[in-house]
Amino acid sequence: MANQLSITTSGGNMLCVHAAGDGPILMLVHGFPLDHTMWNAQLDSLSCKYRVLAPDMRGFGASTSYEGDYSLADLADDLEYARHHLANDQQIFLCGLSMGGYVALEYCKRHGENLAGLILADTKPQCDDDPAKAAREAMAQRVVDVGAWEATRGMLPKLLSTRRPSGKDSATADVARMLRRAPPRSVANAQRAMARRADFVAELPGITVPTLVVVGEDDVICPPEATRAWAALLPNAICDVIEGAGHIPPMETPDLFNASIQRFVDQHVA
Ligand code: MLT
């Protein structure tokens, strides 16, 4: 059972972090436009061995809906604030999925000395090209008029493996629930922050912290082949392809995902 911890960040806003277990710190950063509940299976299982911290990023879940623009670097600083206040300034294993991975790369650049290990799941280091930026701006404008579900429901078929049996799929229902409850303003702010994100490809050879790159074998947003190509630029990384999963392995195939995380953390824990 996770506890909900609230901390007030330097800007006076509230960041909610869901915490369970004891041991080495594993911080899990959710994707867009989701919230910490995408990590429920990890909060349940991995908390047997680790202290699992799953923040709700700005405006999502129980964290304050910030007004105005922010950058992914600001989100990385929120994570550092959480590490400082909730992890006794210990080094952490930081795992980010998709948008969470973009934030984890920013964290690595800004606060890399505080990482015991980095886990990049179903994400990529490249920034957006112009059409991708335009699509994000279109959604940012539309979501405020039509609501989060209407604006984001088109994402749903791309998020989960199409090989999953339809109808019996609690992951689909859980993702749909997160899409429905995402505040429109938060969806817009996150899209604009992602459109402005930096490109990290040139920085990959300089990331020496032990890194696990994980990707679902059926991920159509960050396909395995492209993922293997950029993972090979990291000098201290391994890449695990998770069978039977699409873009969100921690929800689709939690046992396989958790086993991959455990192998990595146990190998690198001090
Ligand atoms: C996510 O899952 O976080 C999104 O696919 C990230 C993105 O829109 O680039």
Side-chain angles (χ1 to χ4, degrees):
M1 182 68 185
N3 291 320
Q4 183 175 311
L5 309 171
S6 298
I7 51 174
T8 304
T9 60
S10 45
N13 293 291
M14 194 188 60
L15 181 71
C16 262
V17 180
H18 304 262
D22 281 311
I25 312 280
L26 175 63
M27 193 182 282
L28 305 172
V29 189
H30 62 78
F32 166 87
L34 308 180
D35 57 52
H36 81 279
T37 59
M38 68 156 280
W39 301 113
N40 277 347
Q42 288 66 46
L43 281 160
D44 279 353
S45 297
L46 293 177
S47 58
C48 297
K49 295 188 77 172
Y50 316 123
R51 176 134 184 89
V52 181
L53 298 177
D56 283 322
M57 302 311 286
R58 293 186 184 194
F60 294 98
S63 287
T64 305
S65 182
Y66 284 57
E67 288 306 320
D69 287 340
Y70 58 78
S71 68
L72 297 189
D74 294 326
L75 298 187
D77 288 350
D78 287 349
L79 300 182
E80 175 57 5
Y81 209 77
R83 187 195 70 88
H84 177 67
H85 287 273
L86 303 178
N88 253 341
D89 269 335
Q90 290 176 63
Q91 281 196 326
I92 59 171
F93 289 87
L94 179 63
C95 170
L97 183 133
S98 201
M99 180 181 85
Y102 309 155
V103 179
L105 283 167
E106 276 290 350
Y107 184 95
C108 190
K109 179 177 178 177
R110 299 167 76 77
H111 309 290
E113 68 283 3
N114 300 327
L115 288 179
L118 175 66
I119 301 163
L120 299 170
D122 299 272
T123 191
K124 56 179 182 272
Q126 294 86 1
C127 64
D128 286 349
D129 58 16
D130 286 342
K133 284 182 186 165
R136 290 194 193 280
E137 183 53 33
M139 185 191 283
Q141 290 184 20
R142 183 162 181 266
V143 68
V144 180
D145 295 330
V146 300
W149 175 241
E150 273 312 306
T152 62
R153 63 192 294 182
M155 293 174 66
L156 194 52
K158 295 194 208 127
L159 292 177
L160 304 172
S161 169
T162 50
R163 281 192 275 175
R164 297 176 64 71
S166 59
K168 300 187 234 154
D169 193 343
S170 68
T172 305
D174 290 343
V175 172
R177 204 169 298 127
M178 285 184 259
L179 297 184
R180 282 180 196 282
R181 71 178 171 225
R185 177 60 56 197
S186 305
V187 171
N189 286 345
Q191 282 289 35
R192 290 185 173 125
M194 286 192 284
R196 289 192 301 266
R197 76 184 186 278
D199 194 294
F200 275 91
V201 175
E203 317 234 1
L204 296 181
I207 297 180
T208 54
V209 66
T211 302
L212 168 66
V213 177
V214 197
V215 63
E217 70 170 337
D218 299 328
D219 188 339
V220 292
I221 298 174
C222 300
E225 216 178 314
T227 302
R228 279 202 192 91
W230 63 256
L233 302 174
L234 288 159
N236 196 8
I238 53 166
C239 182
D240 248 1
V241 178
I242 307 284
E243 261 179 51
H247 190 57
I248 318 184
M251 296 181 72
E252 297 174 82
T253 52
D255 292 347
L256 293 177
F257 181 82
N258 291 355
S260 174
I261 302 289
Q262 265 194 58
R263 274 193 303 274
F264 174 74
V265 173
D266 289 351
Q267 191 188 342
H268 294 289
V269 80

